[in-house]
Amino acid sequence: MRLLLTNDDGIHAEGLVALENIAKVLSDDIWICAPEYEQSGASRALTLSDPVRVRKLDARRFATSGTPTDCVMLAISELMEGAKPDLVLSGVNRGANLAEDVTLSGTVAGAIEGMAMGIPSIALSQTGWPTGNDDIFAPAERFAPGIIRKLVETGWPKDVIINVNFPARPADEITEVEVTRQTFRDINVRHAEKRTDLRNREYYWMGFRQERSSPAAGTDLKAIYDGKISVTPLHIDLTHLETVYRLKGVLGGVPPKA
């Protein structure tokens, strides 16, 4: 199995080391193309107004000046020699990608670009910080290979990616995987903190408050809150069909007069 690895935390990220360790359990045909610098929150940004530069680190490892989307597109179309990858793995992100945050995530976007180019793709994210004697990525490294194998054996639709999140618990305490649906938080955790630099000029630092929602059973947030591994199939058809059907009776036919 030929694997393409990418991320949004950058070519030197610890999570990419963890992803490479995961990949080595699955294959010895591993290619890596990741951003030169962190691109968290880049979503599906494609670099159109600036050149994208590629730095070749070794025969199968590349860093680019672009986004995760740029990396996957360039790797598949230009950089990988021979066959296209059989699977794209994006991550392992340091921090969860859950609920509405999946639309902001460069990690999820890397998987979406793989899917858009016809390659089955999985995004992997690790919640939280080190616990006990574990490295932060210990849960992902222990459980991801088996989950990926089972997913590949089972398969999934061509217009779907798989979004996997690992809870912030010692690996020995994680006993369950749950297939979940994406949810939305009932509170807004994104905020801008106003600060002042040494020249007395104001600026803002964007971030997330560590506040919990009250999610329903079966959702990605609830699974992570309960210490389970969350596996969520996602697709990018954002159409709200209920509203489509309702509006057809109002706006169908001749355009309304002003």
Side-chain angles (χ1 to χ4, degrees):
M1 182 165 57
R2 172 168 277 208
L3 303 179
L4 172 61
L5 314 186
T6 193
N7 72 355
D8 71 354
D9 288 329
I11 193 68
H12 301 296
E14 294 177 358
L16 188 58
V17 175
L19 187 61
E20 193 169 5
N21 291 337
I22 291 165
K24 287 176 180 176
V25 179
L26 302 168
S27 174
D28 58 3
D29 191 359
I30 299 167
W31 295 72
I32 297 173
C33 188
E36 191 78 67
Y37 306 105
E38 184 174 348
Q39 296 279 350
S40 294
S43 188
R44 290 205 68 210
L46 181 68
T47 303
L48 298 174
S49 301
D50 295 295
V52 177
R53 305 195 183 276
V54 178
R55 187 164 62 97
K56 187 173 184 177
L57 302 175
D58 61 38
R60 298 183 181 183
R61 183 185 298 264
F62 302 87
T64 85
S65 61
T67 65
T69 297
D70 295 328
C71 290
V72 173
M73 187 271 289
L74 283 170
I76 294 173
S77 62
E78 298 287 335
L79 303 177
M80 295 182 70
E81 298 174 359
K84 292 183 177 182
D86 300 301
L87 182 68
V88 173
L89 299 177
S90 185
V92 174
N93 191 68
R94 183 164 186 155
N97 281 303
L98 300 163
E100 66 272 22
D101 295 346
V102 299
T103 62
L104 300 172
S105 168
T107 302
V108 172
I112 290 175
E113 184 63 15
M115 177 269 291
M117 298 189 74
I119 311 300
S121 301
I122 301 173
L124 302 109
S125 301
Q126 176 64 61
T127 308
W129 304 96
T131 49
N133 295 321
D134 275 355
D135 175 82
I136 180 176
F137 296 104
E141 289 198 40
R142 180 182 298 188
F143 296 109
I147 291 171
I148 293 169
R149 276 203 183 102
K150 182 63 70 173
L151 287 168
V152 170
E153 289 171 3
T154 305
W156 60 90
K158 292 182 178 180
D159 60 348
V160 169
I161 69 161
I162 304 296
N163 185 38
V164 183
N165 283 268
F166 298 91
R169 291 196 177 186
D172 289 340
E173 295 181 11
I174 299 172
T175 60
E176 190 171 346
V177 179
E178 183 175 358
V179 178
T180 59
R181 59 182 173 86
Q182 179 201 350
T183 189
F184 290 87
R185 292 178 176 86
D186 52 27
I187 55 174
N188 181 19
V189 296
R190 293 184 297 279
H191 73 115
E193 183 175 294
K194 188 175 182 180
R195 300 181 180 183
T196 305
D197 67 18
L198 295 179
R199 295 185 179 182
N200 206 36
R201 296 177 300 190
E202 293 177 347
Y203 68 97
Y204 294 88
W205 196 274
M206 307 296 183
F208 297 84
R209 287 187 293 269
Q210 299 301 312
E211 297 179 27
R212 288 194 168 195
S213 294
S214 300
T219 61
D220 50 4
L221 278 177
K222 184 67 164 63
I224 289 297
Y225 288 174
D226 291 344
K228 301 175 184 177
I229 300 167
S230 171
V231 177
T232 313
L234 300 175
H235 62 92
I236 59 173
D237 180 357
L238 303 181
T239 308
H240 190 255
L241 290 177
E242 181 181 338
T243 304
V244 168
Y245 300 141
R246 181 170 60 85
L247 291 179
K248 276 182 178 293
V250 179
L251 290 175
V254 178
K257 295 180 180 180

